[in-house]
Amino acid sequence: MDDQPVISLRGATATLGARPVLRGVDLTVRRGEVVALLGANGSGKSTAVRAVVGQVPLTGGELELFGTPRRRFRDWARVGYVPQRTTAAGGVPATVGEVVSAGRLARTRLGFLRKADRAAVVRALELVGMADRLRDSVDALSGGQHQRVLIARALAGEPELLIMDEPMAGVDLASQEVLADALRAQVARGATVLVVLHELGPLEPLIDRAVVLRDGCVVHDGPPPEAVGQHAPPSTQLRSCRGCPHPGHDHVHPHAGPAAEPIRTGLLT
């Protein structure tokens, strides 16, 4: 692996409204790594990845992507991002193919798809098991299928860095397995992955390192712990964090089994 970090976040602080959400977060992701960002709801996981992609401004600290300070980074074709809780078409009528084609825009000239772009769209849909739905409306998809399309959109750009915010949330077990296989294929070709998870589930075999947040602080950085928090055995207890207002009160069990209940609605919200 290249020694230069793909993501380098040092002393990062951020607020939402007047509430501090990140409290001096250090996060390094090196080329070829698969890093899981874990923690209870409200721990700052989504804020951290949204700060990396520029959706949340940092109030302090430093962020570099591929060795370039975030404020000067422009090569977004190298980054694929799967956001949390969104619909594939954003409320606009569209086909599966149109949504996934949007993932190629950073690599096209004047927005015109070439033969190579169309081939990349088909490959991405094949990876998530949705190639047969290319011309279907996204409005006809289930929740798990929506999530597959969102991931295909990111994969279509053939990113070096893939950032995913809770891709398994609210998705049936069959779709979780398909998405795990798709991610395994990206890792095999050398992609770097930062993925926000509530529990590891089918992705557990792919994870190289886990970073656990609590109240906006990093309290664990290393192998995925067997259990995280006050109920963990002594060898896996989280370290204390000076910036956290409530040390020791949160816990998360990242090795718990994935939820198998199917989505009840047609859209991810």
Side-chain angles (χ1 to χ4, degrees), residues 207-210 220-226:
I207 303 301
D208 295 313
R209 207 171 94 239
H220 173 89
D221 188 341
E226 289 294 330

Side-chain angles (χ1 to χ4, degrees), residues 6-9 12-14 16 21-23 25-29 34-39 42-58 63-65 70 73 76 79-85 161-167 192-198 211-213 216 218:
V6 174
I7 299 173
S8 178
L9 197 58
T13 60
L16 293 179
V21 180
L22 301 182
R23 306 168 185 268
V25 168
D26 294 326
L27 173 65
T28 299
V29 181
V34 181
V35 177
L37 197 56
L38 306 172
S43 60
K45 306 186 301 296
S46 292
T47 300
V49 296
R50 291 177 65 205
V52 170
V53 299
Q55 292 186 354
V56 172
L58 294 179
L63 169 61
E64 293 183 352
L65 295 172
R70 167 64 184 83
F73 185 77
W76 290 106
V79 181
Y81 175 54
V82 180
Q84 182 186 21
R85 290 193 301 270
L161 169 63
L162 183 60
I163 299 174
M164 310 172 78
D165 192 355
E166 298 211 32
T192 303
V193 180
L194 175 63
V195 56
V196 174
L197 297 170
H198 186 66
V211 175
V212 182
L213 294 185
V218 174

Side-chain angles (χ1 to χ4, degrees), residues 23 33 37 69 75 81-82 97 99 110 116 152 156 181 200 207 211-212 229-230 233 241 269:
R23 306 168 185 268
E33 275 193 309
L37 197 56
D75 199 1
Y81 175 54
V82 180
V99 171
L110 303 176
D181 287 342
L200 298 181
I207 303 301
V211 175
V212 182
Q230 60 190 20
C241 174
T269 56

Side-chain angles (χ1 to χ4, degrees), residues 5-261:
V6 174
I7 299 173
S8 178
L9 197 58
R10 298 185 295 273
T13 60
T15 61
L16 293 179
R19 182 173 68 91
V21 180
L22 301 182
R23 306 168 185 268
V25 168
D26 294 326
L27 173 65
T28 299
V29 181
R30 299 193 178 276
R31 191 175 301 277
E33 275 193 309
V34 181
V35 177
L37 197 56
L38 306 172
N41 291 338
S43 60
K45 306 186 301 296
S46 292
T47 300
V49 296
R50 291 177 65 205
V52 170
V53 299
Q55 292 186 354
V56 172
L58 294 179
T59 55
E62 299 178 1
L63 169 61
E64 293 183 352
L65 295 172
F66 297 95
T68 301
R70 167 64 184 83
R71 64 184 177 277
R72 298 208 307 266
F73 185 77
R74 299 291 183 271
D75 199 1
W76 290 106
R78 304 175 75 179
V79 181
Y81 175 54
V82 180
Q84 182 186 21
R85 290 193 301 270
T86 183
T87 61
V92 178
T95 66
V96 167
E98 289 169 341
V99 171
V100 178
S101 295
R104 293 295 298 181
L105 291 180
R107 294 186 177 274
T108 62
R109 291 184 177 181
L110 303 176
F112 294 111
L113 294 182
R114 301 159 298 175
K115 183 177 180 180
D117 298 314
R118 291 190 290 272
V121 168
V122 173
R123 282 196 302 272
L125 284 168
E126 288 174 344
L127 279 171
V128 300
M130 294 286 291
D132 60 333
R133 306 297 296 270
L134 178 71
R135 294 178 174 80
D136 291 355
S137 169
V138 292
D139 290 338
L141 303 181
S142 68
Q145 290 168 334
H146 267 281
Q147 193 72 326
R148 295 190 200 189
V149 170
L150 291 171
I151 292 173
R153 182 177 64 183
L155 297 182
E158 299 173 312
E160 297 174 48
L161 169 63
L162 183 60
I163 299 174
M164 310 172 78
D165 192 355
E166 298 211 32
M168 303 298 194
V171 175
D172 60 273
L173 183 57
S175 289
Q176 289 186 30
E177 296 288 356
V178 169
L179 298 180
D181 287 342
L183 189 56
R184 188 174 294 109
Q186 297 309 297
V187 173
R189 72 169 182 81
T192 303
V193 180
L194 175 63
V195 56
V196 174
L197 297 170
H198 186 66
E199 48 193 36
L200 298 181
L203 296 185
E204 181 176 350
L206 297 175
I207 303 301
D208 295 313
R209 207 171 94 239
V211 175
V212 182
L213 294 185
R214 178 194 290 159
D215 289 312
C217 301
V218 174
V219 292
H220 173 89
D221 188 341
E226 289 294 330
V228 180
Q230 60 190 20
H231 302 309
S235 62
T236 58
Q237 282 284 352
L238 301 182
R239 66 175 182 253
S240 61
C241 174
R242 288 175 296 175
C244 294
H246 307 296
H249 83 288
D250 280 333
H251 67 279
V252 60
H253 299 278
H255 284 220
E261 282 296 312

